[in-house]
């Protein structure tokens, strides 16, 4: 049985800054998704740890998307070949990433969201319906805890 994680309100998320392009949807900002619970995942397509999280993200998307849950993948490349749009498009299709992807090629958003000198791939934030950061997880794992957090946030009344 998953224990519901602590979901403190860490305030409204930082802006998405200097996003190069969006893939997979007509979304152009997180503000457009207010009213939904949103998972923001920083990832890069060649990262082993990032790839390992994708089946779990796909399961969450399938289970909760029709209940007001959205995923936004912020693709922030670690290596130069991961910054090429054609490579990202091809990898997203091969990996089954069907949710919106913001291309953060120069990693401005990646560094704005992740305090300190180091950023992490993957890193997952959950935003409540108001756009406040309520959950933050670095790396793989904690899948049942993440799902419990999504369920708890979806159960919160919309304001």
């Amino acid at each position: 049985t998953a224990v519901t994680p602590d979901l403190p309100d860490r305030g409204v998320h930082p802006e998405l800054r200097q996003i190069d392009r969006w893939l997979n949807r007509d979304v152009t900002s997180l503000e457009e998704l207010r009213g939904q619970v949103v998972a923001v995942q920083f990832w890069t397509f060649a990262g082993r740890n990032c790839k390992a999280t994708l089946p779990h993200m796909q399961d969450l998307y399938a289970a909760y998307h029709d209940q007001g849950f959205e995923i936004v993948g912020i693709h922030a490349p670690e290596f130069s070949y991961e910054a090429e749009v054609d490579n990202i498009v091809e990898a997203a299709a091969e990996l089954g990433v069907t949710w919106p992807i913001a291309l953060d090629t120069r990693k401005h958003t990646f560094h704005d969201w992740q305090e300190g000198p180091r950023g992490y791939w993957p890193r997952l934030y959950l935003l409540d319906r108001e756009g406040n950061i309520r959950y933050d997880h670095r790396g793989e794992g904690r899948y049942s805890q993440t799902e419990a957090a999504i369920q708890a946030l979806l159960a919160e009344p919309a304001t």
Side-chain angles (χ1 to χ4, degrees):
T1 306
V3 174
T4 302
D6 187 27
L7 299 172
D9 186 339
R10 297 181 174 117
V12 176
H13 64 80
E15 290 184 34
L16 301 185
R17 199 162 63 85
Q18 296 185 17
I19 295 301
D20 300 294
R21 179 174 165 189
W22 286 80
L23 303 175
N24 292 348
R25 293 281 194 299
D26 293 331
V27 174
T28 59
S29 73
L30 291 175
E31 289 72 23
E32 292 173 40
L33 300 174
R34 290 290 191 270
Q36 297 183 64
V37 172
V38 179
V40 176
Q41 184 184 39
F42 286 88
W43 70 295
T44 187
F45 71 77
R48 179 183 58 79
N49 300 74
C50 294
K51 286 195 251 186
T53 67
L54 295 178
H56 304 282
M57 297 302 288
Q58 290 160 344
D59 290 345
L60 294 171
Y61 202 59
Y64 301 105
H65 186 252
D66 66 352
Q67 297 176 42
F69 174 67
E70 184 61 84
I71 299 173
V72 171
I74 309 290
H75 189 275
E78 186 172 10
F79 303 107
S80 60
Y81 72 92
E82 294 172 303
E84 295 176 25
V85 175
D86 290 344
N87 292 344
I88 299 165
V89 169
E90 181 180 337
E94 287 176 5
L95 296 169
V97 177
T98 59
W99 46 86
I101 302 169
L103 304 186
D104 185 26
T105 306
R106 293 175 306 281
K107 296 195 282 201
H108 292 292
T109 295
F110 180 82
H111 291 297
D112 284 354
W113 281 58
Q114 302 191 62
E115 65 287 335
R118 174 130 194 243
Y120 297 89
W121 297 273
R123 186 152 185 185
L124 180 71
Y125 297 91
L126 293 180
L127 310 180
D128 64 19
R129 296 177 194 277
E130 304 300 315
N132 298 309
I133 295 174
R134 300 287 298 280
Y135 180 85
D136 177 4
H137 175 60
R138 297 175 186 162
E140 294 179 65
R142 290 178 35 189
Y143 300 118
S144 60
Q145 186 178 19
T146 299
E147 184 170 12
I150 292 166
Q151 291 169 345
L153 292 172
L154 287 170
E156 288 182 356
T159 57

